[in-house]
Amino acid sequence: MSYPGYPPTGYPAFPGYPPAGQESSFPPPAGQYPYPAGFPPMGGGAYPPAPTGGFPGAGGYPAPGGYPAPGGYPGAPPPGGAPSYPGASPGQGFGVPPGGAGFSGYPQPPAQSYGGGPGQIQIPGGFPGGQIPSQYPSGQAPAPYPNQINTEFFPSCPVFSPISLDYSSEPAAMVQGTQGTIRPAANFDALKDAEVLRKAMKGFGTDEQAIVDVVASRSNDQRQKIKAAFKTMYGKDLIKDLKSELSGNMEELILALFMPPTYYDAWSLRNAMKGAGTQERVLIEILCTRSNQQIRDIVNCYRSEFGRDIEKDIRSDTSGHFERLLVSMCQGNRDENQNVNHQMAQEDAQRLYQAGEGKLGTDESSFNMVLATRSFPQLRATMEAYSRIANRDLLSSIGREFSGNVENGLKTILQCALNRPAFFAERLYYSMRGAGTDDSTLVRIVVTRSEIDLVQVKQTFAQMYQKTLGTMISSDTSGDYRRLLLAIVGQ
């Protein structure tokens, strides 16, 4: 007997999940861009440390993809409230579905289906993407800095040359249905932009609005070219000049925007494990959501920039089943075949049931094996099969069998398989909910998704919380920092 009405037609899937790559990453070649001494600061870092522990709240996730219907969202939570699933306790991540009736409170988008025989699962929308180069160009990287951020050179991770920076060049399967809020500027002129920035910082005072206008409307690739042009024209380092003119959250946001994406991820991971304490949520957010190619690029960048092995750092900062999950993630070896094997999905669902709900105790290694190796379309099929076997969904079973960081990590993988923008929408919501703002998380997600799927993150945010992302940013931030954030999110 199946769980009444759940899932209604199989787990909602997200459009053509990434094949051999995902959001692209683009550090410049070795030693091209000198980087100001002392940044990014470590052990205390540019960003305030995120609270440790589990993800806050039990925010619900809508079906992926769709756009909110005019006139409101049927069944959506009351204004200002975070949707929660019955049976989920605060701080335990994602709970069970409402009333066992699936995600009925949110509009269901048009769907397409994967091939693979009868009983095909429905796959709506799509992930961001394009083609990612599979090899690193040859070249010399600067000598590693074992105990600090490279304070002499701006990221020199040997991944791509600056001229190949292009967020649109990810796998085609990831492009469908997703869109960033920042696009490369037409008629781009790096020399002219460098001149505008120079004038904005020259003399008494700083024209912050001129800086916002340039930075928020240029792609990361174009920002790297502006940096190079600035040094060519004035013999000065643009980042050092910006640091001397700006401060606080505005400075942190500007510097994040000028970091190549792979370096920013690697730096965020290093900062999360540097010094006393560990920011586990940052490790989960990056390692459990990136594509194979991105993770391999991050691992190489981490080694070249910081002279450290990321796997060793993970082992020294985490333990138990959470450590094993993160080590599995940093291998970058998830199956990315988009074809769904329904027999395997049934077998995996039975294996997971017998490893958890179907026995006394939990066989954690079985969960690790399936969730760390199967493709996201395959995981969606497994989730659907599991709900038929166990009469409950896999997310709620994980909540019953696991706790703490390993629970959050496993649930993050499944939530990204279901609806990646919804995962980031919830992270943004909780970064601003309540007293104070987790600016580190707010900056990191806005910057890293700005050229990938921030449009869909905004739409999903409105569906989940009945308020726009821009409205919440406006109420939680101020000044030039707020203006720049709103410009990036397209508000």
Side-chain angles (χ1 to χ4, degrees):
M1 166 174 153
S2 61
Y3 196 68
Y6 185 80
T9 57
Y11 264 93
F14 209 72
Y17 176 74
Q22 213 170 6
E23 303 94 336
S24 53
S25 38
F26 323 102
Q32 176 160 356
Y33 303 119
Y35 195 57
F39 184 86
M42 301 299 298
Y47 303 125
T52 58
F55 289 117
Y61 276 76
Y67 295 82
Y73 311 100
S84 60
Y85 289 151
S89 56
Q92 294 304 310
F94 314 103
V96 297
F103 301 102
S104 60
Y106 299 104
Q108 297 288 330
Q112 66 188 52
S113 55
Y114 275 102
Q120 296 171 328
I121 56 173
Q122 297 301 306
I123 311 293
F127 279 89
Q131 258 179 337
I132 296 180
S134 59
Q135 298 181 354
Y136 299 108
S138 59
Q140 295 282 47
Y145 294 72
N147 299 314
Q148 62 179 20
I149 289 290
N150 185 337
T151 57
E152 179 61 27
F153 294 99
F154 202 27
S156 55
C157 311
V159 185
F160 310 96
S161 65
I163 58 171
S164 69
L165 294 173
D166 183 2
Y167 283 90
S168 66
S169 63
E170 297 182 9
M174 297 169 59
V175 174
Q176 185 180 14
T178 61
Q179 180 183 353
T181 55
I182 292 181
R183 296 281 183 170
N187 304 316
F188 170 67
D189 186 336
L191 299 178
K192 182 178 179 181
D193 285 347
E195 185 177 2
V196 169
L197 293 178
R198 172 65 174 156
K199 288 179 180 177
M201 295 182 286
K202 189 176 180 180
F204 182 76
T206 305
D207 184 355
E208 287 86 356
Q209 188 59 52
I211 296 174
V212 169
D213 291 342
V214 170
V215 174
S217 58
R218 305 294 185 268
S219 67
N220 191 278
D221 175 26
Q222 291 173 335
R223 292 184 210 117
Q224 307 310 316
K225 293 173 182 176
I226 293 170
K227 270 194 304 186
F230 192 92
K231 177 163 285 188
T232 300
M233 294 169 69
Y234 304 112
K236 300 182 68 178
D237 185 271
L238 174 59
I239 304 302
K240 286 183 179 179
D241 278 9
L242 287 169
K243 281 177 63 66
S244 69
E245 297 290 333
L246 305 170
S247 62
N249 293 325
M250 177 66 168
E251 176 189 347
E252 294 169 1
L253 177 54
I254 288 282
L255 294 174
L257 287 165
F258 273 100
M259 289 188 201
T262 295
Y263 179 87
Y264 188 34
D265 277 348
W267 175 83
S268 297
L269 291 170
R270 179 69 188 123
N271 200 43
M273 294 184 281
K274 179 78 172 179
T278 303
Q279 299 173 37
E280 290 89 352
R281 292 190 303 166
V282 177
L283 305 183
I284 291 170
E285 179 193 306
I286 294 174
L287 293 175
C288 293
T289 66
R290 304 306 195 246
S291 71
N292 287 348
Q293 186 62 55
Q294 287 175 310
I295 289 174
R296 292 168 193 158
D297 292 344
I298 290 167
V299 168
N300 287 327
C301 182
Y302 194 94
R303 182 181 297 111
S304 68
E305 286 300 315
F306 313 128
R308 304 179 67 93
D309 184 284
I310 193 171
E311 185 176 323
K312 288 182 180 178
D313 282 355
I314 287 172
R315 291 187 185 279
S316 68
D317 271 59
T318 61
S319 61
H321 299 293
F322 181 54
E323 171 197 329
R324 295 173 197 172
L325 177 64
L326 293 184
V327 169
S328 294
M329 292 297 98
C330 72
Q331 305 310 304
N333 283 329
R334 180 182 299 281
D335 178 22
E336 291 184 335
N337 185 336
Q338 298 306 291
N339 294 322
V340 173
N341 183 326
H342 294 278
Q343 180 179 350
M344 178 188 291
Q346 185 70 24
E347 292 169 356
D348 283 347
Q350 188 65 45
R351 179 185 290 111
L352 294 177
Y353 179 74
Q354 294 299 331
E357 298 279 5
K359 64 175 289 186
L360 183 63
T362 306
D363 177 6
E364 293 87 351
S365 63
S366 292
F367 283 85
N368 193 100
M369 185 277 288
V370 172
L371 270 65
T373 62
R374 303 298 189 241
S375 70
F376 282 180
Q378 186 68 35
L379 284 177
R380 288 192 288 269
T382 300
M383 293 171 78
E384 182 179 359
Y386 185 92
S387 69
R388 293 193 297 266
I389 292 172
N391 286 337
R392 73 174 69 247
D393 70 288
L394 185 53
L395 280 169
S396 64
S397 287
I398 286 175
R400 289 159 58 94
E401 299 292 326
F402 295 87
S403 62
N405 293 314
V406 66
E407 176 193 355
N408 293 329
L410 293 171
K411 285 183 174 181
T412 293
I413 293 169
L414 295 181
Q415 288 296 341
C416 285
L418 288 172
N419 188 342
R420 182 179 307 262
F423 167 76
F424 288 110
E426 190 193 47
R427 291 283 284 138
L428 285 170
Y429 177 80
Y430 284 107
S431 74
M432 295 178 282
R433 184 190 183 200
T437 302
D438 179 359
D439 293 289
S440 172
T441 297
L442 176 58
V443 166
R444 187 175 57 252
I445 294 179
V446 167
V447 170
T448 57
R449 312 313 295 182
S450 62
E451 295 182 52
I452 298 167
D453 57 1
L454 192 52
V455 168
Q456 283 65 43
V457 172
K458 287 167 53 182
Q459 292 163 350
T460 308
F461 189 98
Q463 288 177 262
M464 293 170 68
Y465 305 112
Q466 286 198 308
K467 63 174 70 175
T468 68
L469 177 58
T471 298
M472 202 159 182
I473 288 174
S474 294
S475 64
D476 269 58
T477 60
S478 61
D480 298 316
Y481 176 54
R482 173 168 60 192
R483 287 210 301 271
L484 181 52
L485 282 172
L486 292 176
I488 295 169
V489 303
Q491 199 74 13

